[in-house]
Amino acid sequence: MGPQQARLFCAIVQLMTRTILLLLALSAAHALAQQPTPKTSEQQARTYIASAFMTGAAPMILSEDVVVQPELRQRLALPDDANSRTVYQALVNLTRGKLLQVRPAIRDEVLKSQALGTPGKPIFALEAGDTTLVLQYDLERDNIAFVGQPGVTAVAAPVTAPAAPERVPDPPPAPAAPPIAAAEPPPKPAAPVLQTVEPQVPRAAKPSPPPAPVAAAAVRPAPPAPQPQQRTEPRLRPNGECVIKPVMSDQDLVNCGATAR
């Protein structure tokens, strides 16, 4: 084999080697492309959520078609056409400067946030101080598909406390009526006391002593007072039997042998 033929043979061998290597590389790339991409685990999802809200610079953590609970959307004042970046910024403003913790959501939080359990989409709770967000993570798409909040209440309009009613002064108290003394019952008439009067013989009155003589020179005698004429009543005589009564009249006394008064 001459020198020229030897060079030609070497060139052919090199070309065949390169072709084989290229074919092997293409086969390996095709095989790698056909292998499934490893799915994100729940532990990795918790780490991604915590990092995205700590930094506030990972809006791609939310899906482009992320679903926001209506009550939470109204609380955050988000319009219906707000995109995922606007939603992410509103959530970051709600959790900024607070201690963050990501944990699996409990059943009560899931029910109150209206999240729907789906295989391959675990639900987590993001605690930021006194705020709790419920996040549903899509492990296949590697982003958050739902955001809600347990116990949040939508308010259609700000509620204004009613004005306190004006206090009306109390009217002055009416003068107290004077106490009415209870009418005392009239005294009962005393029971008549029966008294037995015995007939007595009238005693002769003692004559009054004559007035002492007065000196004529010292006292001028007064003219005698006119004497009233005594009416002479007829003298009573007994006209019946002697009957003892509580009150004896003159006739009763005469009947019992006494002298009339």
Side-chain angles (χ1 to χ4, degrees):
M1 180 181 295
Q4 186 176 2
Q5 294 176 344
R7 287 195 297 271
L8 181 60
F9 180 76
C10 290
I12 293 172
V13 172
Q14 291 178 357
L15 180 61
M16 292 178 63
T17 303
R18 292 177 180 177
T19 302
I20 293 172
L21 293 175
L22 180 59
L23 292 175
L24 292 175
L26 290 175
S27 298
H30 181 68
L32 292 176
Q34 290 182 347
Q35 292 181 357
T37 304
K39 186 170 60 175
T40 303
S41 65
E42 293 188 15
Q43 184 61 36
Q44 290 174 328
R46 293 173 60 179
T47 303
Y48 296 159
I49 293 173
S51 176
F53 283 92
M54 285 181 181
T55 61
M60 299 303 293
I61 193 69
L62 295 184
S63 172
E64 290 293 336
D65 55 352
V66 62
V67 178
V68 182
Q69 180 189 21
E71 290 83 1
L72 180 59
R73 179 184 293 273
Q74 187 169 358
R75 178 185 177 184
L76 298 177
L78 293 172
D80 295 338
D81 57 350
N83 56 27
S84 60
R85 289 180 177 269
T86 304
V87 175
Y88 174 76
Q89 189 60 46
L91 294 175
V92 169
N93 294 339
L94 188 62
T95 60
R96 179 179 288 122
K98 299 178 181 179
L99 181 63
L100 302 181
Q101 179 183 2
V102 182
R103 57 170 175 79
I106 60 177
R107 177 181 176 82
D108 187 59
E109 293 171 337
V110 174
L111 294 177
K112 289 183 178 180
S113 64
Q114 307 172 19
L116 300 177
T118 306
K121 295 181 180 181
I123 302 176
F124 302 100
L126 172 62
E127 293 184 355
D130 56 353
T131 301
T132 301
L133 296 176
V134 176
L135 310 174
Q136 189 171 25
Y137 200 91
D138 190 340
L139 299 180
E140 288 288 344
R141 300 172 61 182
D142 201 18
N143 53 30
I144 297 173
F146 173 85
V147 183
Q149 189 172 11
V152 67
T153 303
V155 180
V159 179
T160 304
E166 184 178 356
R167 187 175 183 276
V168 179
D170 298 333
I180 301 176
E184 296 182 359
K188 297 181 180 180
V193 180
L194 300 180
Q195 182 178 4
T196 304
V197 179
E198 297 180 356
Q200 296 180 359
V201 178
R203 299 178 181 178
K206 294 181 180 182
S208 56
V214 181
V219 179
R220 184 179 180 180
Q227 295 291 334
Q229 297 180 359
Q230 295 182 357
R231 188 176 60 181
T232 305
E233 295 182 358
R235 186 175 182 181
L236 296 178
R237 299 179 179 277
N239 62 357
E241 297 181 356
C242 176
V243 179
I244 304 302
K245 299 180 180 179
V247 180
M248 303 289 286
S249 63
D250 292 346
Q251 185 64 51
D252 294 333
L253 295 175
V254 172
N255 293 337
C256 291
T259 304
R261 292 187 294 270

